[in-house]
Amino acid sequence: MSSYSNPRESVFNQPKPVVTLPNDLLDAVTKNVEPYPIPEGRRYEYGTAGFRMKANAGLDHVIYTVGLTAAARSKKRNATIGIMITASHNPAEDNGVKLVDPMGDMLEQSWESYATTLANTPNDKLAKAYENLVNETLVDEIRQLHERPAKVIFARDTRASGPYLVTALKAALDAVKVEYTDYGLLTTPQLHYIVRCINTLNSPYAFGEPTEQGYYEKMAKAFKTLMYGRSIHGSVTVDCANGVGGPKLKEMIKYLPSGKEGGIDIRIINDDVVRPESLNLDCGADYVKTKQRAPPSSNAGPGDRCCSLDGDADRIVYYYTDESKTFHLLDGDRIATLGAVFLADMTRVAGIDSKLKIGIVQTAYANGAATEYVEKVLKLPVAVTPTGVKHLHHAAARYDIGVYFEANGHGTVLFSDNAIKVIKESEPKSPGQKHALDSLRACIDLINQAVGDAISDMLFAEVVLAHKSWTLENWRNTYIDLPNRLVRVEVRDRSIFKTTDAERKLESPKGAQDEIDKFCQMYVKGRAFARASGTEDAVRVYAEAHSKTEAEKLAGQVAEVVRKYGAN
Ligand code: 16G
Ligand code: MG
């Protein structure tokens, strides 16, 4: 045998090194977690909304472990990681936690299982579990990434449990010697914004000043540019769900021109953050969307423009009540079409439409009439993904201008590097083209591309309504929603309901989809699907059809199919 050995090969043939973390660090992990034991028999899972539960059901333990996951994630990406403590639209006594990746996006999916593993580890095994995570994710033949420094930033919503949970988080970050900054109260999208700003600072992709003030200034400047040559009629009433959106929107208003100054008049309601128990109580985007009615606290008159944010201000829906007191909802599907209409118009006027591919991303919940309107009237492509923001976000990134919204009001617009280059570098050939290009440039800054953002989405929607001189009724009349019905079905084990085709079809249990198809065919424009919820122990059924009675009947029949198969 020759004595020659390929140095690469010899590296790869070696067994993977195993790192042992210093004893003082492991001891600190064990000692600091002492006040936060895992309650007997609890199981946690990092789902579409991170971890979410009753704040007193061991969430302190979970948050402590999230601190450890964030430390490893930060070392892995060599970047600042965000942690948001919120339970969004859930009741006041709940809380939750989510990790934010370096570009201000949701935690990469493969890391959700690491977060889940640590969360389910009892205190006496946690130091070892952290060491295992380090070995699994940070150490290989070539690199020992655990030696890198870690940086984490965090914020919370207005829930009463927030400050206590922050104590648990800090205990973890101190144990593993992470440098951190506590941003106090922020909306979820503000935290995402700041994470992205920090990680792009001084780069060609710089996103903005990494401060709360930087957020307001960037958006206000873009809004002012967009208001040039346009005017907003009447005021908009914003229901802040008695959550963090209230104080933050009030702050935002200080940076915006008023109606008299060519800007916007915002009337805030439900901004009580003094009584934390009022959070999301009979108000907020989730209340309005699921109950299909205005919050009882609303004193808006017929036709008045209203919108509701959720508890952490990352969702928004619009609505109004007409002269005959009928309530009309303009949900995420509508906001997506409104935004797409404007962006398509502007690229056309600017003469750059042939260079940019605009598309809309929806989920199976999007109303069939919305999908048809986008494809047939706007002539734009529609992509459908499974429920959960991260899926929509990734699909939207495949377009030059990708507009994504879930029907529940969570969404935003993404501009590709190519789109930003084309928009920034095009030379206008007429005042009309210049106005359109200036508008598009300002949209890039007004829209929070890191994540769906209720405040940013609202300002964008207001600009488009002003541009079109549309009332909410005009907006609603662009297409008429198919009547639809959502039903929640409890079954023994929801995990047997497995979907395919972006959740539009069940692949198991075998036979269930055939029965659903048969029922759908019985109705004009009948469409229905069933999917296991990612956040609750239930299966959700959605059905739509030509008339309200038919939609309800179809929903009932599909729910029955789910019950039947769920009982087996
Ligand atoms: C989570 C998702 C939301 C989705 C909802 C569906 C994020 C940030 N949140 O709240 O987008 O609509 O789950 O809930 O992704 P479900 O699975 O219970 O229907
Ligand atoms: Mg939310």
Side-chain angles (χ1 to χ4, degrees):
M1 228 172 89
S2 126
S3 62
Y4 171 79
S5 78
N6 177 338
R8 267 184 69 78
E9 216 167 64
S10 69
V11 167
F12 287 115
N13 285 343
Q14 274 167 20
K16 194 175 150 171
V18 176
V19 160
T20 338
L21 294 176
N23 275 336
D24 61 332
L25 189 141
L26 295 175
D27 289 347
V29 170
T30 308
K31 182 166 181 302
N32 288 9
V33 77
E34 266 169 23
Y36 316 114
I38 187 167
E40 194 58 40
R42 288 285 312 198
R43 251 234 48 100
Y44 305 105
E45 191 171 351
Y46 196 100
T48 39
F51 294 109
R52 207 178 277 185
M53 62 199 80
K54 294 266 160 287
N56 61 9
L59 184 57
D60 49 1
H61 175 83
V62 172
I63 295 231
Y64 185 95
T65 67
V66 165
L68 304 183
T69 307
R73 184 73 185 147
S74 169
K75 287 166 190 274
K76 175 81 180 179
R77 295 292 307 267
N78 205 13
T80 297
I81 293 297
I83 298 174
M84 183 69 201
I85 299 178
T86 176
S88 185
H89 60 271
N90 283 37
E93 61 275 17
D94 290 12
N95 214 331
V97 63
K98 270 192 276 199
L99 285 151
V100 180
D101 256 357
M103 286 304 276
D105 44 355
M106 310 277 166
L107 176 69
E108 187 186 296
Q109 213 161 344
S110 62
W111 275 67
E112 292 180 0
S113 61
Y114 298 135
T116 299
T117 303
L118 285 192
N120 289 298
T121 304
N123 286 4
D124 57 335
K125 305 210 164 58
L126 194 57
K128 185 73 195 149
Y130 177 65
E131 193 175 64
N132 290 345
L133 175 65
V134 165
N135 275 294
E136 179 146 351
T137 60
L138 303 178
V139 179
D140 60 25
E141 291 76 1
I142 301 162
R143 297 177 306 176
Q144 304 233 329
L145 305 183
H146 67 289
E147 285 165 0
R148 282 174 171 172
K151 175 102 206 282
V152 168
I153 69 166
F154 56 86
R156 59 184 171 88
D157 70 13
T158 52
R159 282 162 210 271
S161 54
Y164 164 69
L165 295 169
V166 162
T167 315
L169 176 59
K170 285 182 180 164
L173 298 175
D174 286 336
V176 288
K177 303 192 169 72
V178 172
E179 184 193 337
Y180 59 77
T181 310
D182 178 356
Y183 277 80
L185 292 178
L186 287 181
T187 69
T188 294
Q190 285 178 327
L191 181 78
H192 284 252
Y193 162 90
I194 292 174
V195 170
R196 182 152 167 174
C197 289
I198 290 175
N199 289 311
T200 54
L201 211 58
N202 302 322
S203 86
Y205 304 101
F207 199 55
E209 276 296 312
T211 59
E212 193 182 329
Q213 188 182 341
Y215 169 93
Y216 300 125
E217 284 172 350
K218 177 182 173 182
M219 268 171 25
K221 182 161 173 256
F223 177 76
K224 280 183 211 155
T225 305
L226 278 158
M227 285 316 298
Y228 181 78
R230 306 185 169 105
S231 68
I232 293 179
H233 294 282
S235 62
V236 55
T237 300
V238 187
D239 154 27
C240 294
N242 294 322
V244 66
K248 300 308 174 184
L249 181 56
K250 274 189 211 152
E251 205 48 41
M252 176 87 244
I253 289 172
K254 294 185 191 158
Y255 294 78
L256 297 172
S258 68
K260 265 202 277 198
E261 298 161 329
I264 183 167
D265 289 326
I266 298 174
R267 275 185 58 218
I268 294 183
I269 62 166
N270 299 324
D271 60 339
D272 179 0
V273 291
V274 177
R275 287 181 314 126
E277 67 276 14
S278 63
L279 175 69
N280 296 322
L281 191 65
D282 294 334
C283 61
D286 203 62
Y287 174 92
V288 172
K289 170 78 184 161
T290 49
K291 300 248 172 3
Q292 303 267 324
R293 70 167 96 104
S297 48
S298 169
N299 53 5
D304 284 353
R305 212 159 63 249
C306 302
C307 57
S308 286
L309 321 184
D310 72 339
D312 62 337
D314 64 352
R315 276 170 60 184
I316 180 166
V317 292
Y318 269 81
Y319 50 91
Y320 69 99
T321 308
D322 66 20
E323 298 286 349
S324 61
K325 298 213 161 32
T326 308
F327 172 82
H328 299 285
L329 180 71
L330 296 131
D331 62 6
D333 298 347
R334 296 278 180 177
I335 301 173
T337 56
L338 184 74
V341 165
F342 180 73
L343 294 163
D345 274 3
M346 287 300 106
T347 53
R348 208 162 28 245
V349 177
I352 52 175
D353 50 325
S354 62
K355 295 184 191 155
L356 301 177
K357 195 166 156 55
I358 304 183
I360 292 199
V361 185
Q362 304 177 325
T363 68
Y365 287 107
N367 196 280
T371 312
E372 192 174 298
Y373 173 74
V374 176
E375 288 178 331
K376 301 216 169 121
V377 181
L378 304 183
K379 301 208 182 331
L380 295 173
V382 174
V384 182
T385 72
T387 303
V389 173
K390 60 183 175 238
H391 302 294
L392 290 103
H393 193 93
H394 288 140
R398 290 187 208 115
Y399 296 106
D400 284 310
I401 301 181
V403 183
Y404 77 83
F405 269 88
E406 288 192 309
N408 66 20
H410 194 142
T412 188
V413 180
L414 303 184
F415 294 86
S416 69
D417 291 346
N418 175 53
I420 293 176
K421 189 166 178 311
V422 169
I423 292 167
K424 294 214 162 140
E425 292 178 4
S426 290
E427 287 291 338
K429 297 193 185 64
S430 67
Q433 281 197 350
K434 181 174 184 312
H435 188 223
L437 279 171
D438 286 345
S439 297
L440 286 169
R441 285 171 192 154
C443 282
I444 294 172
D445 285 344
L446 178 66
I447 298 168
N448 187 345
Q449 293 181 61
V451 76
D453 180 333
I455 295 178
S456 151
D457 289 339
M458 178 193 77
L459 292 175
F460 181 48
E462 290 292 315
V463 164
V464 182
L465 292 173
H467 172 77
K468 292 275 185 193
S469 299
W470 277 354
T471 60
L472 293 198
E473 192 181 3
N474 299 141
W475 178 11
R476 189 176 80 89
N477 284 336
T478 49
Y479 63 84
I480 297 301
D481 274 331
L482 286 171
N484 57 83
R485 185 64 198 262
L486 250 173
V487 185
R488 184 178 179 281
V489 187
E490 287 185 15
V491 294
R492 207 163 45 80
D493 175 11
R494 75 188 197 279
S495 73
I496 64 166
F497 291 87
K498 296 208 165 54
T499 58
T500 172
D501 190 21
E503 301 182 329
R504 287 174 292 190
K505 297 257 175 285
L506 279 177
E507 64 180 9
S508 87
K510 285 269 165 295
Q513 187 59 42
D514 292 340
E515 294 190 33
I516 295 174
D517 288 343
K518 243 184 20 234
F519 285 122
C520 288
Q521 282 154 16
M522 287 163 53
Y523 304 97
V524 179
K525 298 215 176 222
R527 183 175 74 90
F529 65 88
R531 57 174 280 277
S533 158
T535 62
E536 285 180 50
D537 192 9
V539 172
R540 300 201 198 282
V541 168
Y542 173 91
E544 64 183 28
H546 183 66
S547 73
K548 192 160 183 254
T549 338
E550 288 174 314
E552 277 170 9
K553 236 170 131 185
L554 178 56
Q557 286 163 326
V558 175
E560 214 30 67
V561 172
V562 169
R563 264 181 221 113
K564 185 176 95 186
Y565 283 87
N568 291 338

